[in-house]
Amino acid sequence: MLLEVRLPAEAGVAPPAPFLCEAASSVAVEVALRDAVALSNLRRRISRALASPQPHRHASTNVEVAAGPSLESGDFSTARELLSPSNVRRKAISTRAALLPLLRSLGGDADAAAPGEVSEEGASLLFAGKTLEADRPLSSYFGANDKSKAVVTLCAPPLSPSLRPTDLAAAGGGGGDGGDGGGGG
């Protein structure tokens, strides 16, 4: 099945473009969540590589040149296209196999976290305002049809050296501002 993954907006910043990832309806939500977090973080690293090229030495002349793609570069165009919101309309599925080589060709570091990346710890997928339970299969929410598409929101505490996901749980954070869903009714 296709999951259209959306990310919430950060304070004062437009949300990143949604993206599509593929998962079998029989897999656990936890597996789909792990994939969504990894793809989201790779997309942020590509975005950072596009925005801040690092200098490198040209192979044949050994002269330092600005790294990263030029505006005419095929990699630049491919990266912009992959990060575009129109990718969802065109049903272009994001995969690690496509994103990792692109990140490397842009001079990005596949192992260095980019600002705004999310941690797998404490992350969750929301559908129709409800958190999907990690141990249940996707089919329990969306049916067994692998040709279906669902729009989910990836909610997770950002990676931060000063605030670990366990700190958020201890402080009661990460639950949103909509209450606990209980109450009178």
Side-chain angles (χ1 to χ4, degrees), residues 43-78:
R43 291 170 55 86
R44 284 193 187 264
R45 291 173 191 175
I46 289 170
S47 182
R48 183 178 68 180
L50 287 173
S52 59
Q54 300 295 316
H56 70 282
R57 299 225 170 248
H58 190 274
S60 62
T61 63
N62 202 28
V63 173
E64 191 171 284
V65 294
S70 70
L71 290 176
E72 303 83 39
S73 165
D75 290 337
F76 180 87
S77 299
T78 301

Side-chain angles (χ1 to χ4, degrees), residues 130-142:
K130 296 183 180 180
T131 301
L132 305 183
E133 295 175 32
D135 58 342
R136 291 180 61 187
L138 289 171
S139 61
S140 67
Y141 295 100
F142 309 114

Side-chain angles (χ1 to χ4, degrees), residues 16-184:
F19 62 92
L20 293 176
C21 66
E22 199 167 29
S25 61
S26 60
V27 303
V29 168
E30 180 179 14
V31 173
L33 173 63
R34 229 178 295 135
D35 198 35
V37 166
L39 291 171
S40 173
N41 290 343
L42 277 171
R43 291 170 55 86
R44 284 193 187 264
R45 291 173 191 175
I46 289 170
S47 182
R48 183 178 68 180
L50 287 173
S52 59
Q54 300 295 316
H56 70 282
R57 299 225 170 248
H58 190 274
S60 62
T61 63
N62 202 28
V63 173
E64 191 171 284
V65 294
S70 70
L71 290 176
E72 303 83 39
S73 165
D75 290 337
F76 180 87
S77 299
T78 301
R80 287 282 180 217
E81 194 174 296
L82 280 173
L83 298 177
S84 167
S86 66
N87 239 5
V88 171
R89 283 193 310 272
R90 290 184 290 117
K91 295 186 178 178
I93 299 168
S94 293
T95 64
R96 292 180 210 193
L99 296 179
L100 275 172
L102 180 61
L103 176 62
R104 289 187 183 111
S105 73
L106 296 172
D109 187 349
D111 297 321
E117 285 191 17
V118 294
S119 168
E120 216 175 278
E121 289 292 319
S124 60
L125 291 176
L126 300 178
F127 175 72
K130 296 183 180 180
T131 301
L132 305 183
E133 295 175 32
D135 58 342
R136 291 180 61 187
L138 289 171
S139 61
S140 67
Y141 295 100
F142 309 114
N145 184 355
D146 275 333
K147 295 185 185 243
S148 60
K149 176 184 166 194
V151 178
V152 296
T153 302
L154 173 60
C155 294
L159 286 177
S160 170
S162 62
L163 185 62
R164 296 180 310 275
T166 52
D167 296 336
L168 283 174
D177 57 357
D180 64 359

